[in-house]
Amino acid sequence: MPTSKRLSHSASGGGLQRSRASAGRCRLPVVLLLFLSILAPLLFLAGRSVRAPIYSDQKGGSNLSSKQILDWKEQPAVQKLKSILTKEVIDSIVASRDEFGPWSLDFFRRNHGSSSWQIDELDNSVQSNVTAEDVAIQTVAGAQLKTSHGTSEHDASFHVSSSKDKGVKDESAENQLPDSPAKLARRQLREKRREKRVKELIQLDNEALVKLENAAMERSKYVDNAILGKYSIWRRDNENENSDSTVRLMRDQMIMAKVYSLIAKSKNSHKLYLELLNRLKESQRALGEANADGDLPHNAPEKIKLMGQALSKSREELYDCRAITDRLRLMLQSAEEQVRGLKKQSTFLSQLAAKTIPKGIHCLSMRLTVAYHLLPPEKRIFPNNENLENPNLFHYALFSDNVLAASVVVNSTVMNAKEAEKHVFHLVTDKLNFGAMKMWFLSNPPGKATIHVENVDDFKWLTSSYCPVLRQLESAAMREYYFRADQHTSLSASSSNLKYRNPKYLSMLNHLRFYLPQIYPKLDKILFLDDDIVVQKDLTRLWSIDLKGNVNGAVETCGQSFHRFDKYLNFSNPHIARNFDPNACGWAYGMNIFDLKEWKKRDITGIYHKWQNMNEDRVLWKLGTLPPGLLTFYKLTFPLDKSWHVLGLGYNPSIDRAEIDNAAVIHYNGNMKPWLELAMTKYRPFWSKYIKHDHPHIRSCSFSQ
């Protein structure tokens, strides 16, 4: 029994143990399931809170740095992220971790994208012709303004979400707190991204402009943009905002139409050639004399469009860079030849207009000549002849064949003189105008002043054997030079030399200024005046100026480089180069005070003859009286104050009015003489106020005031 009991007991004990073991095996999965479902999330959350960085709170409390609690498993992951992500992304992650919680790149892109990444107004800007660069700048400016005021939608949404996470009920409380380092870091990153984006947009805008220009050039192949010149469709008129671009465009098209028409003709493209000619005629009629866009007709844009189409077709069919270059070169050469011809013609016409006697002056001279010959001989004598050789009086020399001009010189001098009775005028004219000149001053005596008129042909001592100029003027070469100037061989010289074929150089009146002691042997000083001057002040002080041993007193004209000796003389000639300085100051004829005593002592007339004989072939200077005067009076000229003599009223329109008013003598040197129609209107009243417009002969000859 006992044995059976023990066996049964042992059997029952073994079953119990097995049942206990089986129960233990059943509890293990339950524990594991409980651990995974409850404890594992808790451990995960605890581990996440341990790994999260701890920053100082707003009250100044500080926590441990995240670097101190990183475990060995996170370090390889962080190093891997650094090798993949940029520094800006990592800095953004670090700066955003305390407020974003578990960081998500998709969440950041979706909810916290920088406003500079988005250009909502781009489509509208394209429609309103606003460039992407302007849109980007406006967007960046708006984003910066919003950032500075804390009113952007991104910042507002961020503040709301962060306030909810922290349990803050007041949404504006975040705006009232100072910016945290994280916010400053994010703001700096946003600004960097904006700047980078703006640069990209600008670059894209420049590329878009290049593409547009290339497309336009492909559509408008009718213009060779490699051509350099005054007119170019592709040039930018930055100098003048109101430039007449349409007029220049039409001229550009006409130039290219001429080029392509010639090429089309040479390649037997008759249809295209005729089309270009028709378009060219239409453009010429539309352009007309227009120099501004406002002068063009209403159909000008249509003509430009049709011409552009014709030129585009021509470029596609006939474009040849070499052929176009050759044609343009020929056109340029032809234009230059035309310009040279027009310049020569203009010079000739201006000289002709300047030296032709106006109808009114010719009429006056003829009427006075008739009246003079009707006078009895006893009434042809001037009074006060005893003053003509008195060296104590103020003597003037005036050589002219223009009655009206001589009358203005005498009248203006007498009217501005303090003691008119002490002034003596010596007039010399030619045989043709001798009677008219005497008759004018006999019927219109210059107040109390003395006047005397002589005929140059009555100077018996003035012969070709004594005077080199007379001998040269009588030579066959000089006659060829003057009277056959219309021949092709004579006109081969440059147009600037036409002015030296002036008829005044044939008259001895222009050369008498070198013979003053011979004409007036008993005078000590004399004031030489041209007939194109006007006297505005009393000139008696000139006789008291000490010339310091010089012969000539004149106003120098070396204010500009072209009034120096090298302008008038040929310094390639050894005689000129050895004896004169090319930079020496020139001076002006027109009002010159001459010391006749020093003149005789230094034999000035002999010096003049010497240089005039050497210049018989015109190798030292061109024709004229100023170049030989510069040689003759070299280092013998005393410079007068410039206020005595103001020049340029016959060619310079920009003389200061104060300078004219202060001048003792004003000089109309140049082609625009005051008695001509081409005179400058602003200067004419200074001259015309000394004309006696109420004189019957002047009224009958229709002189305009």
Side-chain angles (χ1 to χ4, degrees):
M1 281 302 291
T3 304
S4 61
K5 289 181 179 179
R6 283 194 296 271
L7 289 172
S8 62
H9 179 73
S10 62
S12 61
L16 180 61
Q17 290 177 357
R18 284 192 298 272
S19 63
R20 289 179 178 176
S22 175
R25 286 193 297 271
C26 293
R27 284 195 298 268
L28 182 59
V30 174
V31 172
L32 291 175
L33 180 61
L34 182 63
F35 175 79
L36 292 175
S37 61
I38 299 175
L39 295 180
L42 294 175
L43 291 174
F44 176 76
L45 294 175
R48 191 197 67 173
S49 63
V50 169
R51 287 194 303 270
I54 303 174
Y55 295 99
S56 300
D57 56 10
Q58 296 179 358
K59 296 180 181 180
S62 61
N63 296 318
L64 295 176
S65 173
S66 62
K67 293 182 180 180
Q68 298 177 357
I69 60 176
L70 287 176
D71 58 1
W72 63 274
K73 293 181 179 180
E74 289 184 87
Q75 292 180 359
V78 172
Q79 295 297 329
K80 185 65 174 177
L81 289 174
K82 288 184 178 180
S83 63
I84 297 175
L85 302 177
T86 62
K87 184 177 182 303
E88 294 181 358
V89 175
I90 294 175
D91 292 341
S92 178
I93 294 172
V94 174
S96 305
R97 253 186 331 198
D98 59 335
E99 295 182 52
F100 284 146
W103 191 82
S104 171
L105 184 59
D106 293 335
F107 178 82
F108 182 79
R109 288 176 176 174
R110 185 168 57 253
N111 297 308
H112 300 283
S114 173
S115 60
S116 65
W117 293 359
Q118 300 176 359
I119 304 178
D120 298 333
E121 302 170 0
L122 183 58
D123 295 336
N124 296 331
S125 66
V126 173
Q127 296 176 2
S128 60
N129 296 328
V130 180
T131 63
E133 179 181 353
D134 297 333
V135 175
I137 293 174
Q138 294 175 2
T139 306
V140 171
Q144 292 177 350
L145 182 61
K146 293 178 180 179
T147 302
S148 62
H149 291 284
T151 59
S152 65
E153 295 179 1
H154 162 66
D155 291 341
S157 62
F158 177 79
H159 291 319
V160 171
S161 61
S162 63
S163 299
K164 290 180 179 179
D165 294 338
K166 295 179 182 180
V168 180
K169 297 181 180 180
D170 189 1
E171 295 179 357
S172 63
E174 183 68 20
N175 293 333
Q176 298 175 359
L177 298 175
D179 293 338
S180 64
K183 286 187 178 181
L184 294 176
R186 288 197 304 274
R187 186 177 294 119
Q188 293 176 358
L189 291 174
R190 284 197 299 269
E191 291 176 357
K192 290 181 180 179
R193 287 193 296 271
R194 290 187 190 111
E195 294 176 358
K196 182 178 179 181
R197 185 58 178 167
V198 167
K199 292 180 181 178
E200 292 176 355
L201 291 173
I202 293 174
Q203 182 66 26
L204 290 174
D205 184 61
N206 292 335
E207 293 176 357
L209 287 176
V210 172
K211 291 180 180 179
L212 289 174
E213 290 181 356
N214 292 334
M217 292 172 67
E218 291 295 326
R219 291 193 302 268
S220 307
K221 289 184 177 181
Y222 56 87
V223 173
D224 187 2
N225 59 356
I227 297 174
L228 299 177
K230 182 176 181 182
Y231 299 109
S232 173
I233 288 180
W234 304 113
R235 71 157 177 257
R236 296 180 179 180
D237 298 308
N238 295 323
E239 297 180 358
N240 185 5
E241 296 180 356
N242 299 321
S243 58
D244 298 306
S245 57
T246 306
V247 172
R248 283 198 291 271
L249 176 59
M250 294 186 70
R251 290 172 178 169
D252 287 338
Q253 290 182 334
M254 291 167 63
I255 291 173
M256 296 308 301
K258 292 177 182 178
V259 173
Y260 279 122
S261 64
L262 294 174
I263 297 176
K265 185 177 181 180
S266 63
K267 293 186 177 182
N268 296 324
S269 298
H270 298 291
K271 184 177 180 181
L272 187 57
Y273 171 72
L274 295 176
E275 182 180 359
L276 288 171
L277 288 183
N278 291 332
R279 299 303 179 200
L280 185 59
K281 291 179 181 178
E282 292 176 357
S283 296
Q284 288 175 345
R285 285 194 295 266
L287 183 61
E289 300 295 332
N291 292 317
D293 290 350
D295 300 334
L296 293 174
H298 296 293
N299 62 346
E302 181 182 356
K303 302 301 180 184
I304 292 174
K305 182 179 179 180
L306 295 175
M307 176 65 83
Q309 294 174 355
L311 291 176
S312 179
K313 186 190 301 184
S314 302
R315 185 181 179 102
E316 292 176 358
E317 297 182 9
L318 305 173
Y319 181 75
D320 185 350
C321 183
R322 183 180 182 84
I324 291 177
T325 303
D326 293 340
R327 292 297 178 182
L328 288 174
R329 186 181 296 110
L330 290 174
M331 291 175 64
L332 179 61
Q333 293 175 354
S334 176
E336 289 177 349
E337 290 294 333
Q338 291 179 5
V339 169
R340 280 194 290 267
L342 291 175
K343 282 184 177 180
K344 185 179 294 186
Q345 184 179 9
S346 175
T347 302
F348 172 75
L349 292 176
S350 62
Q351 294 294 329
L352 181 64
K355 305 309 173 186
T356 301
I357 300 176
K359 180 180 178 181
I361 294 179
H362 180 72
C363 169
L364 177 64
S365 180
M366 293 298 101
R367 289 179 180 273
L368 291 172
T369 301
V370 172
Y372 175 76
H373 288 290
L374 293 177
L375 283 177
E378 62 273 9
K379 291 185 178 181
R380 300 178 184 179
I381 302 173
F382 288 102
N384 303 324
N385 286 333
E386 66 277 5
N387 294 333
L388 297 179
E389 296 181 351
N390 186 354
N392 297 321
L393 300 178
F394 306 112
H395 294 266
Y396 300 86
L398 176 61
F399 309 140
S400 174
D401 57 358
N402 189 328
V403 176
L404 189 64
S407 69
V408 170
V409 175
V410 174
N411 291 339
S412 62
T413 305
V414 173
M415 291 176 63
N416 292 284
K418 295 180 180 179
E419 298 177 312
E421 66 276 5
K422 294 184 178 181
H423 295 263
V424 181
F425 294 90
H426 302 268
L427 273 71
V428 180
T429 186
D430 54 14
K431 183 187 297 185
L432 180 63
N433 296 282
F434 176 70
M437 193 75 72
K438 288 194 70 173
M439 186 62 197
W440 174 264
F441 289 105
L442 286 170
S443 59
N444 301 279
K448 298 180 180 180
T450 302
I451 194 164
H452 182 62
V453 178
E454 296 181 89
N455 183 2
V456 66
D457 294 328
D458 292 337
F459 298 155
K460 302 303 181 182
W461 51 269
L462 195 61
T463 60
S464 58
S465 60
Y466 174 68
C467 178
V469 174
L470 279 177
R471 184 174 64 253
Q472 293 171 10
L473 291 176
E474 293 173 357
S475 65
M478 193 64 67
R479 289 195 299 269
E480 170 74 16
Y481 185 79
Y482 277 114
F483 299 108
R484 300 191 63 185
D486 58 335
Q487 299 298 323
H488 178 72
T489 55
S490 299
L491 289 176
S492 60
S494 63
S495 60
S496 61
N497 290 336
L498 287 174
K499 65 181 179 180
Y500 299 113
R501 296 183 174 89
N502 195 316
K504 72 178 183 180
Y505 300 121
L506 291 173
S507 174
M508 272 305 300
L509 292 176
N510 201 45
H511 299 271
L512 282 182
R513 63 193 68 189
F514 294 103
Y515 300 96
L516 291 175
Q518 287 78 6
I519 302 173
Y520 313 109
K522 296 184 178 180
L523 300 180
D524 297 333
K525 280 188 177 182
I526 194 168
L527 182 65
F528 172 79
L529 298 176
D530 269 341
D531 61 356
D532 55 352
I533 64 104
V534 174
V535 178
Q536 300 186 131
K537 294 183 180 180
D538 183 49
L539 302 179
T540 55
R541 287 192 299 115
L542 287 170
W543 278 264
S544 61
I545 292 177
D546 184 7
L547 298 181
K548 301 185 183 302
N550 293 293
V551 180
N552 176 25
V555 172
E556 291 183 337
T557 58
C558 55
Q560 294 92 5
S561 60
F562 58 84
H563 282 155
R564 298 183 182 273
F565 270 43
D566 58 352
K567 168 65 178 178
Y568 305 101
L569 305 176
N570 179 19
F571 276 87
S572 62
N573 188 282
H575 297 290
I576 299 295
R578 279 198 308 263
N579 295 283
F580 303 99
D581 180 9
N583 293 319
C585 283
W587 44 268
Y589 268 129
M591 190 208 70
N592 307 81
I593 184 71
F594 290 109
D595 188 338
L596 300 183
K597 288 185 177 181
E598 288 291 332
W599 185 306
K600 298 173 186 176
K601 186 185 302 183
R602 297 177 180 271
D603 192 17
I604 297 299
T605 303
I607 297 174
Y608 165 71
H609 285 171
K610 168 192 169 184
W611 290 110
Q612 194 69 51
N613 286 325
M614 294 176 63
N615 192 49
E616 186 171 358
D617 296 329
R618 299 183 301 279
V619 295
L620 304 184
W621 70 86
K622 300 297 183 180
L623 292 177
T625 55
L626 181 58
L630 297 177
L631 299 178
T632 302
F633 296 101
Y634 182 61
K635 294 184 178 181
L636 296 174
T637 300
F638 178 79
L640 299 177
D641 188 88
K642 294 185 180 298
S643 62
W644 280 108
H645 187 189
V646 171
L647 298 97
L649 277 75
Y651 68 89
N652 185 4
S654 59
I655 303 176
D656 188 6
R657 176 60 183 270
E659 189 177 357
I660 295 176
D661 293 337
N662 294 329
V665 170
I666 55 175
H667 194 173
Y668 291 83
N669 58 315
N671 289 332
M672 300 179 183
K673 302 300 184 185
W675 54 83
L676 300 175
E677 292 184 0
L678 52 83
M680 284 181 275
T681 307
K682 60 188 295 187
Y683 298 145
R684 179 175 284 174
F686 299 107
W687 182 83
S688 61
K689 69 180 181 179
Y690 294 104
I691 297 177
K692 295 183 177 181
H693 294 282
D694 57 345
H695 193 278
H697 289 328
I698 291 180
R699 285 204 310 268
S700 61
C701 291
S702 302
F703 280 98
S704 60
Q705 299 185 22

